[in-house]
Structure formats: C-alpha cells, structure tokens
C-alpha cells in the first residue's frame, strides 16, 4: 500500500523532465490519488463485509500492482488520472482490511508495527528510485515499483491467523454525549488541516529538493521520511500508556 500510494513522489521528477509533466498536471495526479483513497476508505466504512473480505483484499493487491505497471502504457494525463484514482481506491481498501485483520489477530502491542508497513513502503519507493542509474527512465521506475509491489503482495496474499485467545465481547455501544461530538468536530477539522499540510509537502518533497540540489538528496530525504514513519505508530502506542491523548496530540503538533 505504501508503494502503490507513494511511489509517485520519487518518480515525479523523472516524469517532469522526461514526460513533460507540468506542475498543474502533477497536482491533478496527486489529487486524483487522494480522491480515490478517500472513496476507498469511505467504502470500507460503509460496508463491513468489504472491510473483511478476502476477495476484496486480493483484488486490491492485483489492482495496485496493475495500476503501477500500467502508468507507462497510458502516456497521457487522462489515463494517468484514471490509474492514480483507481490506485488510491485500492490502496485504501487494502489499508482498511489490513487494520481489521491486525486488530482481530495480533496481540495488542503489535498493530502499531503493522501500521509501519506504510512507512516501509515509502522508504522502499525512495530507495528504489535512489538506486536506479542516472540514465533510468520514468517508465522503468514505474515498472520497478510494480515489480516490488508484486513481490510484497505475494507475501501478503494469504492473510490468515488465529484470533487472540480470551477475547472479551465488546460492550454495548452507547450514544456519545453532545460535548464529545463537539470536540470530535474540532479534532476532525484539525486533522483535515494537518492532512492538507502533510500531503502537499509529502507529494512534492523530492521534486522541491531536486530544484536546488542533486537528485540523490531528494530521494534520500524520501527514504528517511519513510524510515521515520515506520516506527511512529508503535511509538505512539507505547507513549499512549504514559500520557493522555490531548498531551500527545499537542506534542506532535509542535
């Protein structure tokens, strides 16, 4: 999922120089991917069956690999927008199903490391382009990303495991108080603003660095961004047992 969604960032400079991708078109491709991701996340929320479907899991794995491989085969903005939208949708479905699986089958302290797979995918996408020769083409970069995603997807094809022993039935859901709803709205708006800032910087990080420095520095920054993201959820889970959520959110915002 990390490769399918974020390989675009290190490949973007190659497409700008070799495929004459304009800044407007680059923004359109990024937007298409995020719209597809939002739709996929909402579909998993709306359909509990989809969120735990083995068929949806495997189809999404194939779709992510296929959309990466098809980018060089549809060398026009309309085809690219379509592929990135579909890739975003499939990536979100993978994420929702993986989260449900981790919560069902892993010990309480392990899902945080599972979330680190996204950061690892980011790091792998950056490292992949970083190690390519200077004469590499943008088409080859997409095909290499597709091959890497296929390799990881093969390992994830069989998602099975035993449920945690002694699982306690969930308590009856009670309607949250009105005050909680109000604070949820504040948190939702804050998270939306954070998402805008993070995704703009994340998408164009490599391209922005390459404008003022050598190419390896941009991809190197993306590699380290992924490596930093990989343990972040596990670290948050560890800190969650020691500090309150408001304190942690305030600290992260700083």
């Amino acid at each position: 999922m990390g490769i399918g969604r974020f390989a675009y960032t290190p490949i973007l400079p190659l497409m700008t120089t070799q495929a004459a991708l304009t800044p407007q078109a680059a923004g359109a491709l990024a937007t298409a991917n995020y719209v597809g991701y939002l739709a996929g996340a909402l579909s998993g929320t709306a359909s509990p069956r989809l969120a735990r479907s083995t068929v949806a899991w495997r189809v999404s794995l194939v779709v992510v690999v296929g959309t990466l491989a098809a980018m060089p085969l549809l060398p026009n903005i309309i085809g690219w927008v379509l592929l990135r939208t579909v890739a975003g949708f499939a990536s979100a479905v993978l994420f929702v199903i993986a989260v449900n699986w981790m919560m069902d089958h892993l010990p309480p302290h392990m899902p945080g490391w599972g979330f680190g797979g996204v950061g690892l995918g980011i790091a792998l996408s950056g490292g992949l382009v970083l190690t390519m020769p200077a004469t590499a083409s943008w088409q080859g970069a997409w095909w290499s990303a597709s091959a890497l995603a296929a390799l990881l997807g093969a390992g994830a094809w069989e998602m099975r495991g035993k449920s945690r022993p002694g699982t306690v039935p969930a308590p009856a859901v009670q309607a949250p108080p009105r005050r909680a709803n109000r604070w949820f709205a504040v948190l939702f708006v804050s998270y939306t603003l954070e998402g805008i800032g993070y995704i703009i910087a994340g998408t164009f990080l490599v391209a922005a660095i390459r404008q003022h420095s050598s190419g390896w520095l941009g991809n190197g920054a993306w590699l380290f961004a992924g490596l930093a993201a990989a343990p972040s959820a596990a670290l948050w889970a560890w800190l969650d047992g020691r500090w309150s959520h408001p304190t942690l959110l305030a600290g992260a915002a700083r």
Side-chain angles (χ1 to χ4, degrees):
M1 177 261 174
I3 296 172
R5 219 191 139 201
F6 294 106
Y8 175 63
T9 294
I11 299 176
L12 174 58
L14 293 176
M15 296 185 70
T16 301
T17 57
Q18 299 177 9
L21 189 69
T22 65
Q24 293 78 12
L29 293 185
T31 302
N33 187 249
Y34 308 145
V35 169
Y37 188 85
L38 176 61
L42 292 177
S43 69
T45 302
S47 173
R49 178 176 296 182
L50 176 67
R52 298 181 182 275
S53 170
T54 301
V55 174
W57 171 258
R58 292 177 175 175
V59 169
S60 296
L61 286 173
V62 173
V63 168
V64 166
V65 173
T67 52
L68 290 170
M71 285 293 288
L73 305 179
L74 296 177
N76 60 78
I77 186 62
I78 296 177
W80 290 338
V81 165
L82 176 62
L83 289 173
R84 295 309 294 159
T85 303
V86 174
F89 186 93
S91 296
V93 172
L94 285 177
F95 187 76
V96 171
I97 296 175
V99 169
N100 285 328
W101 188 90
M102 289 189 296
M103 295 302 181
D104 288 343
H105 300 292
L106 295 182
H109 65 283
M110 289 299 295
W113 291 108
F115 283 111
V118 179
L120 183 59
I122 292 173
L124 289 174
S125 68
L128 180 71
V129 179
L130 180 63
T131 56
M132 295 180 70
T135 57
S137 66
W138 67 272
Q139 296 98 326
W142 282 111
W143 284 327
S144 297
S146 176
L148 182 57
L151 180 64
L152 297 175
W157 189 259
E158 295 289 344
M159 185 180 285
R160 297 177 181 175
K162 296 181 180 180
S163 298
R164 295 194 300 265
T167 302
V168 179
V173 178
Q174 298 178 352
R178 183 169 300 180
R179 179 179 175 82
N181 289 334
R182 181 167 64 249
W183 282 115
F184 175 80
V186 174
L187 182 62
F188 181 84
V189 172
S190 300
Y191 192 65
T192 300
L193 296 175
E194 186 273 340
I196 293 174
Y198 127 78
I199 211 65
I200 292 175
T203 300
F204 300 104
L205 176 67
V206 177
I209 294 176
R210 288 193 62 168
Q211 286 184 345
H212 305 286
S213 61
S214 60
W216 71 266
L217 188 59
N219 288 322
W222 192 235
L223 170 64
F224 280 102
L227 292 177
S232 61
L235 177 62
W236 182 275
W238 180 75
L239 293 173
D240 185 47
R242 290 157 177 79
W243 286 282
S244 67
H245 286 169
T247 300
L248 291 173
L249 287 172
R254 295 188 182 94

